[in-house]
């Protein structure tokens, strides 16, 4: 019977006496220990975690599409009343144009007002709607009863929060800095709109600026004598209203050179770095009059 000799862990030899002639020794390679598994697994896990952290950081830096998740609204009877009342006044501006009741119909009327009108005509049409909502002699009465002071600015901020959620969505009053008679003061006259319903549904910066921002600023500042500046944020569709702050001329406003919403606007098949053409349809003339051409 063959005799086998195994010597571990160094070298292994097999002595075979049945072989012809001298016994032969067959030499095998030395056995080595397997590589440690735990350090390799830890290194791999560490690389994966680093990769996920990097991807997460890149995701945070990348602005989120504000239209990716649309808000859902459940208008109550009072909301529907104001929406349809406002829409009826807009319909008058269009010669009693027919419209569908509800917020969708209200936005469609806004688009009709934009159609065929330049920027200033759009603003004037909305001003006509706002004035039609007021009783006779309302501006003079408002100026007498509510002169521009801290308490009137704060009162109008509170009224806006209470009665205009149907138009722009959830909003809240907050403190803001106001330059009053040459002094910086902190007033509770700011209104923060979380995500503007009108801007989200229209999907157009031109509509935001000419059908809401500028006419509303003009209505309060010039008609009622209470300065108001609206500051839309087109990255998240929020907006800050500051009662008591005088708005700048449109060509000096930071929204003036805003590009289109490239995924929403039908006019956005152009260089996204160029200003939205609907913000000011007479841009060249505006800049010329301001001495900036």
């Amino acid at each position: 019977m063959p005799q086998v000799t195994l010597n571990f862990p160094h070298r292994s030899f097999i002595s075979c006496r049945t072989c012809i002639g001298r016994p032969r020794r067959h030499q095998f390679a030395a056995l080595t220990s397997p590589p440690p598994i735990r350090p390799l697994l830890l290194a791999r896990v560490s690389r994966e975690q680093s990769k996920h952290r990097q991807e997460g950081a890149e995701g945070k830096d990348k602005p989120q599409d504000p239209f990716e998740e649309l808000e859902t609204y459940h208008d109550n009877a009072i909301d529907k009343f104001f929406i349809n009342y406002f829409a009826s006044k807009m319909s008058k501006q269009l010669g009693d144009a027919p419209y569908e009741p509800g917020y969708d119909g209200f936005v469609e009327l806004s688009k009709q007002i934009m159609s065929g009108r330049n920027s200033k005509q759009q603003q004037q049409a909305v001003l006509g709607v706002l004035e039609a909502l007021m009783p006779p002699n309302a501006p003079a009465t408002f100026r007498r009863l509510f002169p521009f002071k801290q308490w009137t600015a704060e009162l109008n901020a509170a009224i806006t929060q209470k009665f205009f959620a149907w138009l722009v969505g959830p909003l809240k009053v907050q403190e803001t800095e106001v330059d009053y008679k040459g002094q910086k003061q902190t007033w509770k006259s700011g209104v923060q709109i979380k995500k503007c319903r009108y801007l989200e549904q229209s999907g157009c910066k031109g509509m935001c600026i000419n059908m809401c921002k500028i006419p509303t600023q003009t209505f309060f500042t010039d008609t009622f004598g209470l300065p108001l500046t609206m500051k839309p944020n087109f990255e998240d569709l929020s907006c800050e209203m500051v009662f008591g702050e005088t708005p700048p001329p449109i060509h000096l406003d930071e929204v003036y050179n805003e590009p289109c919403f490239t995924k929403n606007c039908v006019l956005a098949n152009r260089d996204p770095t160029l200003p939205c053409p609907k913000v000011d349809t007479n841009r060249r003339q505006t800049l010329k009059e301001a001495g900036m051409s």
Side-chain angles (χ1 to χ4, degrees):
M1 180 176 181
Q3 180 179 351
V4 179
T5 304
L6 298 177
N7 297 317
F8 291 103
H10 301 292
R11 293 183 181 274
S12 301
F13 299 95
I14 300 177
S15 178
C16 184
R17 294 187 177 180
T18 58
C19 296
I20 302 174
R22 312 179 44 183
R24 296 181 181 180
R25 290 189 175 183
H26 303 282
Q27 183 173 346
F28 292 88
L31 297 178
T32 57
S33 300
I37 296 178
R38 180 176 175 80
L40 291 177
L41 290 176
L42 291 176
R44 181 174 181 179
V45 170
S46 178
R47 287 196 300 269
E48 290 294 329
Q49 290 176 341
S50 178
K51 180 180 178 181
H52 289 314
R53 282 195 297 268
Q54 183 177 0
E55 291 175 351
E58 292 175 355
K60 290 180 180 178
D61 294 338
K62 183 180 179 180
Q64 184 179 0
D65 181 6
F67 297 98
E68 186 175 352
E69 295 183 7
L70 301 181
E71 300 294 324
T72 301
Y73 294 91
H74 303 284
D75 297 316
N76 58 35
I78 297 176
D79 296 332
K80 292 176 181 178
F81 169 79
F82 280 114
I83 291 170
N84 292 324
Y85 182 65
F86 206 99
S88 68
K89 298 299 182 181
M90 294 179 70
S91 175
K92 293 288 184 184
Q93 289 289 323
L94 294 167
D96 292 321
Y99 62 93
E100 290 291 329
Y103 203 87
D104 290 345
F106 166 71
V107 174
E108 285 302 316
L109 283 172
S110 299
K111 293 179 180 179
Q112 290 182 43
I113 289 179
M114 285 190 72
S115 179
R117 291 178 171 83
N118 62 35
S119 302
K120 292 189 180 299
Q121 290 170 338
Q122 295 166 27
Q123 297 163 20
Q124 289 300 319
V126 177
L127 276 171
V129 172
L130 295 174
E131 291 170 356
L133 296 171
M134 299 291 106
N137 301 319
T141 303
F142 185 95
R143 285 173 175 267
R144 185 177 69 257
L145 298 177
F146 303 100
F148 175 34
K149 294 181 180 295
Q150 179 177 351
W151 72 269
T152 57
E154 294 181 344
L155 175 62
N156 277 270
I159 292 173
T160 301
Q161 179 194 25
K162 185 71 174 177
F163 294 104
F164 287 92
W166 64 267
L167 178 61
V168 296
L171 61 174
K172 65 178 182 179
V173 174
Q174 63 184 17
E175 289 187 343
T176 187
E177 190 175 77
V178 174
D179 189 349
Y180 182 67
K181 295 183 178 181
Q183 294 183 346
K184 296 289 185 181
Q185 300 184 13
T186 300
W187 293 2
K188 204 171 183 179
S189 63
V191 179
Q192 182 67 35
I193 301 171
K194 182 179 179 181
K195 187 177 185 182
C196 181
R197 181 181 186 180
Y198 186 73
L199 178 56
E200 179 186 55
Q201 186 140 344
S202 65
C204 177
K205 295 180 182 180
M207 283 184 67
C208 164
I209 293 169
N210 292 313
M211 301 290 292
C212 180
K213 172 181 163 63
I214 294 179
T216 306
Q217 289 179 166
T218 302
F219 185 66
F220 277 93
T221 304
D222 297 340
T223 305
F224 281 169
L226 176 61
L228 169 66
T229 298
M230 300 181 69
K231 305 174 183 180
N233 182 333
F234 295 116
E235 291 186 0
D236 60 7
L237 308 186
S238 66
C239 182
E240 181 186 12
M241 304 175 68
V242 182
F243 288 94
E245 180 177 326
T246 303
I250 182 58
H251 64 279
L252 296 179
D253 198 306
E254 58 185 19
V255 303
Y256 191 63
N257 293 313
E258 279 285 334
C260 290
F261 283 128
T262 55
K263 292 184 179 181
N264 294 74
C265 186
V266 295
L267 297 174
N269 55 345
R270 44 185 281 137
D271 186 345
T273 63
L274 295 177
C276 170
K278 286 294 185 180
V279 170
D280 187 359
T281 56
N282 300 317
R283 181 177 294 269
R284 183 176 297 180
Q285 183 65 26
T286 299
L287 296 177
K288 182 178 180 180
E289 292 175 356
M292 300 175 64
S293 59

